[in-house]
Amino acid sequence: MSLPFHECDVLIIGAGGAGLRAAIAVAETNPKLSIGVVSKVYPMRSHTVSAEGGAAAVIKDDDSLEHHAYDTISGGDWMSDQDAVELFVKEAPKEMIRLEHWGCPWSREDNGKVAVRPFGGMKNKRTWFAADKTGFHMLHTLFQTSLKYSSVFRFDEYFVTDLIVEEGRCQGALALEIATGTIHAIKAKSVVICTGGAGKVFPFTTNAAIKTGDGMALAYRAGVPLKDMEFVQYHPTGLPFTGILITEAARAEGGHLLNKDGYRYLQDYDLGKPEPKPVLRSMELGPRDRLSQAFVKEQESGRTLQGPYGDFVHLDVRHLGAKTINNKIPFVRELCLKYENIDPVKEMIPVRPVVHYMMGGIDTDIEGATSLPGLFAAGECACVSINGANRLGSNSLTELLVFGSRAGRSAATFSTRQDTFSTGIGSLFEKENSKFLSKYSADNNGSESIAEIRNEMHSTMEEGAGIYRTEASLKKSMDAVKSLKVRFENVKISDSSKTFNTEVTSALELSCLLDVAETVIQSALHRAESRGSHQRTDFPERNDKDFLSHSLAYKKEDNVPEIKYKPVIITKWPPGERVYGRETKQS
C-alpha cells in the first residue's frame, strides 16, 4: 500500500518555542506559503513549557548590549562566535517586546514596568520573567499566536524518522503517526529542525523524557556535522531522583547552597570572580559549570549528604519567607511539595547537579542554515554558536525567539526559490519506509532489550563523559557505546500493535541517543584541554593556541565520528581570563 503523501512549502520539525516562532516567522514573511509543523507531542507539552527562571534581554537604563555580549562571551569561555552574540543581544529586546505585544504576562514592578532579576554569570539584572513559569507562559503565547495563521497546519504526535535528501537538498521527511502506526511522507521545499536537546543521553537530567536528540540525529545522519558536542551543561540544582529543575531563580532571589555541615561551601571555590573569595551575597549566582564542579569537589571531600539516589547538598530558601517564595518562586514550592513531600518555606531542598542543556548541536550559520541546502535549525538542537563552552542561564529562551525567527525567515526565502520537487522523491520515500518496517516491526527477530541498552548507555556516559573526564574514561565509554550500537541493530520489538506503540518510539529515540552519545564522547576525546563545561583532568588548562576552535563531528558508516575543526569568530573581544563580575585585561 502506498504511503499517505502530504506537501508543504516549509516543514518545521518540533513545536516548542523555536518551532512555533519559526512557523510564525514564515507566515509573516510570505503569507502564501503553506507551513507544516510536525511534533511528537502536542505543542503545549513541548519542553519549553518547563523553563522556569526567565529570558535575558537588555531593557534597563543601567544595562547595555555591550555588557550582555561580554557576559555571554566570557561566560562561554571564549568559545562563542562573537558575530552571532552581537546579533543575538541586539535582536533580543525586540523579540521580547514583540512577545509582550502578543500577550506574554511578564512580571511587573510596582510602577508597571517589566521586572528583571539577576541570573548566574550576568553582571546586570536583565532576566525577564513570568513568576517562575516563564517557559510555560512563553509557549502559551507563541502557540496562541500561531493559531491565527491559516497557512499553518499541524501533525501532532508524529515522530519524524528520516529526512529525505535528493539531488543535494533536503526535500521533506518521513513521519510515524503515533496513534495509528502509519508512516506518512511529507514533501517540503525547505525543512527547519527545532527538536530541542538530548539530555536523556545521561541518567540524571532536568530534561523531559522527550529530549532524546531526534533532530540532531536526523541532521547527523544526513551528513550535517554536529558542532561542539563535548560541551554539556550541568545545572547545579536538580532534584536527586527525578532530575526536575529547581530554577536558578531560587538562588537569584537569595537562596543558599549548603553542604552537610550547613556551610556555604561556594565561598571556598574559584567561581571566576576577581575577588580572592566570592562575595557572600552573590556567590550562588556563579556560572553553572563552576557550581557543578564545586559540588563534585565537596563530594570527593566527603562533605555532601547521602540519600537513596546518590549524594546531594541543600538549597536553603527558608530565610526568604513565605511571601517572597509564593510571589517570586511559587512553582519551586509546588515542585517540592509534589515530588519531595517537603515545604521549602520550612525545610531545605535536596539538590545535585543534573544535565540541563547541550551547548552543541546542528552546525548552523547566523541565518539558521546548515551545510545541506534546504535544511535549517534553531533552538537547543542547533549550535549557532552563542553559548560557547557554557551557556548563561536565561539566554536560551531568548535564543529560541531570535534564531527561531531568523531560521523561519531563511527557510521561507529558500522555499520561494524552489519550483518543483525531484522526480525520484516518491520512490525514495518508499525505500526508506521499507527499511523502517523491516527494523521496527514485531517480526524483526531481535533479541536485545531497549531498556538494558539504554541503562548501559546512561551508566557509561555518566561515568566516562560526565562533569570530569579523562582520556581513559572517554575511550572506555566510546568502546561501550560502539558495542551498544552493534547490539541495537538486534533490538527486539515485542509489541505488534499499531496504535500508540511506545516500544517502537522508545527504540527510535534510543537510536538517536546512541548517535548523540558517540559525538559527545568523540568530540570530548579530541579536545585535549579544559574549557567551560568540558573538564579534562588530564589537561586541566584552557589551550587557546590549539583549541580556540569549534569541533565538528561527521558521521562515518561503521566507524566512530570524524572530528574536524573550524575557528571561533572573534570580532572585538580577544580571549582573556574568564572572570565573573567585571571585565578584565585580555590575555
Side-chain angles (χ1 to χ4, degrees):
M1 186 175 74
S2 4
L3 295 173
F5 265 81
H6 310 272
E7 185 175 322
C8 58
D9 293 303
V10 180
L11 177 65
I12 297 168
I13 304 172
L20 292 173
R21 184 65 189 95
I24 294 167
V26 175
E28 290 174 329
T29 301
N30 188 343
K32 295 181 180 179
L33 296 178
S34 58
I35 307 155
V37 179
V38 57
S39 174
K40 69 178 180 182
V41 295
Y42 186 73
M44 279 309 303
R45 293 187 62 231
S46 300
H47 194 58
T48 306
V49 79
S50 69
E52 300 168 29
V58 172
I59 191 69
K60 299 299 182 182
D61 292 338
D62 62 351
D63 199 4
S64 72
L65 300 182
E66 290 272 316
H67 285 157
H68 191 183
Y70 181 81
D71 287 350
T72 299
I73 292 161
S74 62
D77 223 346
W78 274 269
M79 190 54 54
S80 307
D81 280 337
Q82 295 181 15
D83 60 337
V85 173
E86 290 185 88
L87 182 149
F88 165 69
V89 301
K90 181 180 179 181
E91 294 194 2
K94 302 173 187 176
E95 285 291 335
M96 299 293 281
I97 292 169
R98 184 174 290 116
L99 209 63
E100 153 88 358
H101 293 168
W102 289 342
C104 190
W106 299 118
S107 292
R108 300 280 173 175
E109 297 174 350
D110 291 340
N111 62 9
K113 293 185 177 181
V114 169
V116 291
R117 60 173 38 133
F119 240 65
M122 295 193 183
K123 66 174 64 67
N124 297 87
K125 291 183 180 182
R126 67 171 66 96
T127 297
W128 303 40
F129 60 98
D132 58 353
K133 291 188 177 181
T134 308
F136 174 88
H137 290 296
M138 286 178 63
L139 193 62
H140 265 278
T141 301
L142 290 165
F143 182 56
Q144 291 164 356
T145 302
S146 74
L147 295 177
K148 73 180 184 180
Y149 296 103
S150 58
S151 56
V152 176
F153 58 98
R154 302 200 316 270
F155 299 88
D156 293 342
E157 297 185 333
Y158 281 64
F159 194 117
V160 174
T161 62
D162 291 283
L163 295 177
I164 298 302
V165 180
E166 182 74 350
E167 295 181 352
R169 66 183 174 96
C170 188
Q171 299 194 47
L174 281 176
L176 171 70
E177 184 180 9
I178 297 173
T180 65
T182 303
I183 293 288
H184 292 249
I186 309 172
K187 294 194 290 185
K189 295 175 181 175
S190 62
V191 175
V192 187
I193 299 178
C194 302
T195 53
K200 295 302 289 184
V201 78
F202 287 88
F204 296 103
T205 175
T206 64
N207 290 185
I210 59 174
K211 296 287 286 293
T212 51
D214 311 338
M216 294 179 186
L218 288 171
Y220 179 58
R221 294 164 187 170
V224 177
L226 299 185
K227 181 167 65 182
D228 291 344
M229 292 299 289
E230 62 268 42
F231 299 115
V232 178
Q233 181 173 77
Y234 279 73
H235 196 291
T237 55
L239 295 179
F241 171 50
T242 61
I244 288 173
L245 172 68
I246 299 300
T247 174
E248 194 160 302
R251 287 174 282 124
E253 296 300 332
H256 300 159
L257 284 171
L258 308 176
N259 65 16
K260 73 174 187 179
D261 301 319
Y263 176 67
R264 289 178 72 184
Y265 60 88
L266 290 175
Q267 60 191 293
D268 295 339
Y269 294 91
D270 173 18
L271 303 181
K273 281 181 172 289
E275 297 89 359
K277 287 188 177 182
V279 290
L280 284 175
R281 66 177 174 80
S282 61
M283 63 186 168
E284 274 83 8
L285 288 180
R288 290 172 176 178
D289 56 341
R290 299 283 175 88
L291 267 62
S292 297
Q293 292 154 21
F295 172 91
V296 175
K297 296 300 183 184
E298 289 293 295
Q299 184 181 38
E300 292 173 349
S301 301
R303 293 191 290 265
T304 53
L305 297 102
Q306 295 183 347
Y309 306 106
D311 288 15
F312 65 92
V313 292
H314 277 131
L315 174 62
D316 190 4
V317 297
R318 294 173 299 175
H319 54 282
L320 301 182
K323 182 178 179 180
T324 296
I325 291 172
N326 289 333
N327 288 340
K328 295 293 187 68
I329 49 173
F331 195 43
V332 167
R333 189 178 190 187
E334 181 181 335
L335 290 172
C336 290
L337 288 167
K338 286 184 176 180
Y339 292 97
E340 291 289 335
N341 196 29
I342 63 172
D343 186 348
V345 171
K346 304 174 183 176
E347 301 164 272
M348 293 189 289
I349 308 167
V351 293
R352 58 157 290 162
V354 289
V355 168
H356 184 56
Y357 189 89
M358 309 292 285
M359 270 74 74
I362 302 165
D363 181 28
T364 75
D365 63 17
I366 59 175
E367 305 301 332
T370 72
S371 58
L372 177 62
L375 184 64
F376 303 81
E380 189 179 351
C381 72
C383 183
V384 58
S385 149
I386 66 163
N387 297 309
N390 173 64
R391 176 181 69 85
L392 294 190
S394 75
N395 267 350
S396 60
L397 284 180
T398 322
E399 180 186 5
L400 299 177
L401 302 174
V402 171
F403 292 102
S405 176
R406 294 183 75 84
R409 294 196 299 269
S410 299
T413 301
F414 185 93
S415 180
T416 58
R417 296 172 182 162
Q418 312 305 314
D419 296 326
T420 60
F421 294 99
S422 299
T423 55
I425 193 170
S427 60
L428 190 56
F429 274 122
E430 296 287 355
K431 178 182 176 182
E432 294 300 322
N433 181 45
S434 297
K435 286 166 60 178
F436 171 83
L437 293 175
S438 66
K439 186 169 184 177
Y440 295 107
S441 60
D443 56 358
N444 70 347
N445 297 317
S447 60
E448 291 284 352
S449 162
I450 295 171
E452 287 180 8
I453 294 175
R454 184 173 55 228
N455 288 341
E456 290 183 38
M457 175 194 68
H458 282 161
S459 295
T460 194
M461 292 302 290
E462 183 76 1
E463 293 168 9
I467 293 176
Y468 286 101
R469 304 150 173 189
T470 65
E471 180 179 7
S473 74
L474 289 165
K475 285 183 173 178
K476 183 178 178 181
S477 291
M478 194 70 221
D479 289 341
V481 169
K482 285 168 65 177
S483 175
L484 292 175
K485 292 193 75 171
V486 171
R487 288 170 55 189
F488 180 79
E489 293 304 310
N490 191 37
V491 74
K492 181 175 180 58
I493 304 295
S494 302
D495 189 351
S496 60
S497 66
K498 298 293 185 182
T499 304
F500 292 104
N501 189 325
T502 54
E503 189 174 24
V504 169
T505 54
S506 293
L508 288 167
E509 290 172 332
L510 180 56
S511 71
C512 296
L513 288 170
L514 289 169
D515 277 355
V516 170
E518 70 177 6
T519 66
V520 171
I521 297 168
Q522 192 69 357
S523 300
L525 188 56
H526 278 68
R527 184 172 291 278
E529 67 159 354
S530 290
R531 184 187 299 265
S533 65
H534 172 70
Q535 293 293 306
R536 287 280 299 267
T537 57
D538 46 353
F539 294 95
E541 301 301 321
R542 194 178 86 188
N543 180 354
D544 289 338
K545 178 177 179 293
D546 297 321
F547 290 102
L548 191 62
S549 301
H550 298 296
S551 63
L552 298 172
Y554 290 85
K555 185 169 181 60
K556 295 296 179 183
E557 292 301 324
D558 302 322
N559 207 339
V560 296
E562 180 182 7
I563 305 299
K564 298 182 181 180
Y565 290 94
K566 69 177 181 180
V568 173
I569 297 173
I570 306 293
T571 58
K572 63 174 71 169
W573 293 279
E577 178 191 0
R578 182 185 175 198
V579 299
Y580 168 58
R582 62 172 172 80
E583 295 189 31
T584 190
K585 64 181 181 181
Q586 311 302 327
S587 62

